[in-house]
Amino acid sequence: MSNVATFDTRTEAKIPVESPLAYSYRRSGAPAPTGKSRVVLRERPFLGHLILRGGAIVLDEAVREVLGVSLPGEPQGLVQDADGERSIQWLSPDEWLVIVPGGEEFELENRLRAALGDAHFAISNASGGQTLVELEGEAARELLMKSVIYDVHPSHFPVGKGVTTVFAKTTVILRRPAEDRWELVVRRSFADYTYRWLLDAGEEYGIGVER
Amino acid sequence: MFYIHCPYCGELREEEEFHPKGQAHIARPADPAACSDEEWGDYLFFRDNPRGIHHELWVHAVGCRKFFNITRHTVTYEILETYKMGEQPRFTAEHPEGRPSQDGVEQASLREGVRA
């Protein structure tokens, strides 16, 4: 067991929390989805985001043991568990992003640390720094075509792929967990910019925001 | 715009995701204290400006954030190859058509992430 000091970022005390988009909803509004909406935007705030760094073989063993899924070893890989609640994404040859339901990340981190023992690795909790925005609907791909430089054609971007790329004037982690659903992992400080860009770009598709 | 093959991501990406970092394969002198001022100055400040094949260091800044090398032709702008840190270029000024490659080495290196 390593001697790294860890702490649970979620406290027992009842502190009011706001999602990174709370300000944007107030300032820019959130048009409700209608029957004409060809794309729906949905934020999934307060999830647990962990960055794993280290050798693939060592991490793979620990992740299989603790999470029950294998580490995506191939570039751009995205692996989910059976109910799609937990996911691991390849970010770089020695870096992976784990997203789990909010509140699970501290226990997961401790169990991974215990499983990894003295191996050479790093785990950092990025939950407070980023948020997940989902796009769903038939026009989601068209909306992304206007926003990211990456080729999102189904032949080039199949389900189970995730990339880090340029989105408008910022960067996002773009993932495709299901056929008609895309996920954007955005930095907290760029969440408002991303949200307003999506509202503007999605206007022609009647974008609606589910809250 | 370049369309650059990142050897770590294993696919072609837009130039916008990358940053150039200058000439590649500049080795720091083993014993800096033993260098003359001229040697140290050459190491720090002086770079090649060839007409033709040039080896450059780039970083996939938006993406995997790994450094790698590109062999590029400064006249035609053609990218001849990209290769990982620590590897040697196949296309050089002495071998503009490319050195004979070692069997399977390149294919194996694409799977580096699996073995790491």
Side-chain angles (χ1 to χ4, degrees), chain A residues 2-24:
Chain A
S2 56
N3 58 353
V4 176
T6 59
F7 70 101
D8 192 350
T9 52
R10 289 171 206 268
T11 58
E12 293 294 321
K14 288 279 174 275
I15 300 171
V17 288
E18 284 193 325
S19 93
L21 286 183
Y23 165 78
S24 317

Side-chain angles (χ1 to χ4, degrees), chain B residues 29-37 39-40:
Chain B
D31 185 3
C35 282
S36 66
D37 284 353
E39 281 166 350
W40 189 246

Side-chain angles (χ1 to χ4, degrees), chain A residues 56 76 92 94-95 150 161 165, chain B residues 9 11 17 65-66 113 116:
Chain A
Q76 278 82 242
S92 152
D94 56 1
E95 185 172 357
Y150 197 78
K161 188 170 182 177
T165 191
Chain B
C9 291
E11 61 179 20
E17 295 188 5
R65 308 189 302 288
K66 294 286 176 202

Side-chain angles (χ1 to χ4, degrees), chain B residues 23-60:
Chain B
Q23 187 182 338
H25 303 297
I26 295 172
R28 183 183 167 88
D31 185 3
C35 282
S36 66
D37 284 353
E38 192 174 345
E39 281 166 350
W40 189 246
D42 277 349
Y43 162 67
L44 278 188
F45 303 116
F46 287 85
R47 297 293 178 259
D48 297 338
N49 184 18
R51 179 183 168 85
I53 287 177
H54 187 36
H55 304 291
E56 295 171 343
L57 183 66
W58 284 65
V59 59
H60 194 182

Side-chain angles (χ1 to χ4, degrees), chain A residues 55-57 74-76 90-95 149-150 161 163-166 171, chain B residues 8-14 16-17 62-66 110-111 113-116:
Chain A
I57 290 174
E74 297 291 328
Q76 278 82 242
W90 184 99
L91 290 184
S92 152
D94 56 1
E95 185 172 357
I149 60 170
Y150 197 78
K161 188 170 182 177
V163 299
T164 314
T165 191
V166 177
T171 65
Chain B
Y8 293 97
C9 291
E11 61 179 20
L12 289 159
R13 299 288 193 97
E14 304 250 354
E16 208 176 330
E17 295 188 5
V62 179
C64 63
R65 308 189 302 288
K66 294 286 176 202
L110 279 176
R111 302 177 66 84
V114 183
R115 286 188 286 113

